[in-house]
Amino acid sequence: MRIIKDDKHRKLAIIIMIPVLLIAQYYLFKFGILKPMIKGVEIKIINGDYIQDIDKYVIRLGEEVTLSSGDYIKIPNYAKDPDISFKILDNNKSLKIIENSDKEENTATLIGIKKGYSSIAIVKDSRVLKKATVLVVDPQVENLNLQVDGSLVFVGDSAKINSSVEVDYKRFKDSYEVTYESSNEDILKIEDNEVKAVGVGSATIYAKSGDKVDSIRYKINAKVEKMEIDDSIELGVGSIKKIQPKIITNPRGLKNPDIEYQLVESKLPIERSIRLDPNGTIVGLREGEEKVLISCGVGWNKKSKIITVKVVKEPLINQSIQDLISSYDIEDNKMIITLTWSSISEIFNYDIYLKNNSLGEEYSLLNL
């Protein structure tokens, strides 16, 4: 009978102890006294610029990425999260780890500080759970090609700009930013990836990425809306005149393109009635007519007109004495006056008038 009673007491004690042990185990795991089992832990980069190869991560020198231990499983699932940390396993000094768990659970910041390979690990209670190899690289831009999609010739034109970048570690090329600049924003202005011609003159667009620079230089012109000039010009033999057409631009008030002047008819130099300079200055050589082509503008916008230059004999009434020089001497109480001047073609006789300013006289013909 005693044996039967002892068995009953033993069974009762076991029945009572099982829930006590279960409750005790729950709180021991809950408060971290007992450590849970972890499965499925992985080293992952969840933020930053990186490349994931089969056996390693690749990050750029000086760049920061965020490490994570992944969505691991803990057994039992009610246990307190274990203390997991990231550790560098070698002394290559290629990497630096900064704990980040105060911002996000089970994460750290990884920085590449020197080119080369290194190993990192997830550690729990000084026990390595998972390893990973990290390669730190410093990709260099090998080639930069600036591309402009559109014509930039006249004020008001616009075009899209983009660039192609070649990097020696090619899988990083998409992360290399290209910046654009204008040498003169009063002529070419860049907004986002569009360049606009806003003024007349020459300017250069620059594309920059890494240590590479590519550029394209442009000359921006005003559009010529109209060119106004008389159909004919007249000048005398030996006279000088400048052909000056009125150029109206669009928009108005801009500096017009260079004006071109060209003799139209084919003649020997001795047959020419005028001499024409590149700036539009004409000199009357002999009586006759010449055709002059005047052009202003660029490409399809060029405006042209042919005018007639007539060279006529200069009327004598319009001519005057040039290079008049006078001097005098007194000999035997007589004033001897000497006059010299440049002769005028076809004039052989001259009348000379004289007056005495001190006496207030009027001019009177001097008899020679």
Side-chain angles (χ1 to χ4, degrees), residues 44 52 63 76 95 103 117 123 128 143 155 185 189 193 208 211 216 236 242 254 261 264 287 291-293 300 308 352:
K44 292 184 177 181
Q52 185 173 3
E63 294 290 307
L95 299 172
K103 297 178 181 177
Y117 280 95
V123 178
V128 174
N143 189 39
V155 174
E185 290 200 342
K189 191 170 185 178
N193 280 11
K208 299 180 180 181
D211 60 353
I216 302 177
K242 183 173 175 60
L254 297 177
Y261 304 90
V264 174
E287 291 182 74
K291 302 291 185 183
V292 176
L293 173 64
W300 61 266
T308 301
I352 299 174

Side-chain angles (χ1 to χ4, degrees), residues 104-155:
E104 187 174 352
E105 190 89 18
N106 296 329
T107 63
T109 299
L110 179 68
I111 307 172
I113 57 175
K114 189 179 78 171
K115 293 194 298 182
Y117 280 95
S118 188
S119 295
I120 60 174
I122 293 178
V123 178
K124 171 181 173 285
D125 299 328
S126 300
R127 177 169 166 257
V128 174
L129 301 179
K130 202 72 176 181
K131 296 180 182 180
T133 300
V134 178
L135 172 61
V136 180
V137 298
D138 186 18
Q140 299 297 311
V141 177
E142 292 183 326
N143 189 39
L144 173 63
N145 183 25
L146 172 61
Q147 299 163 349
V148 178
D149 183 16
S151 175
L152 294 172
V153 178
F154 301 106
V155 174

Side-chain angles (χ1 to χ4, degrees), residues 255-291:
K255 180 183 177 182
N256 58 265
D258 293 339
I259 304 172
E260 300 174 4
Y261 304 90
Q262 183 180 353
L263 290 167
V264 174
E265 298 170 325
S266 178
K267 295 181 180 179
L268 294 174
I270 197 171
E271 298 175 323
R272 291 288 184 197
S273 299
I274 65 170
R275 183 174 68 244
L276 175 65
D277 291 342
N279 64 358
T281 299
I282 52 177
V283 179
L285 300 178
R286 57 186 58 87
E287 291 182 74
E289 292 185 358
E290 296 285 353
K291 302 291 185 183

Side-chain angles (χ1 to χ4, degrees), residues 176-228:
Y176 274 75
E177 181 181 359
V178 180
T179 59
Y180 301 102
E181 295 179 9
S182 169
S183 64
N184 189 335
E185 290 200 342
D186 291 332
I187 298 171
L188 291 176
K189 191 170 185 178
I190 298 173
E191 295 178 351
D192 297 325
N193 280 11
E194 185 178 34
V195 58
K196 298 179 180 179
V198 295
V200 173
S202 296
T204 302
I205 299 173
Y206 294 97
K208 299 180 180 181
S209 183
D211 60 353
K212 295 295 182 182
V213 178
D214 193 16
S215 64
I216 302 177
R217 189 164 181 81
Y218 290 94
K219 183 179 180 181
I220 306 301
N221 305 274
K223 288 181 182 177
V224 176
E225 184 174 294
K226 191 188 302 182
M227 180 169 64
E228 298 178 349

Side-chain angles (χ1 to χ4, degrees), residues 320-326 340-343:
S320 60
I321 295 294
Q322 302 292 327
D323 306 320
L324 177 63
I325 299 175
S326 65
T340 62
W341 61 85
S342 297
S343 63

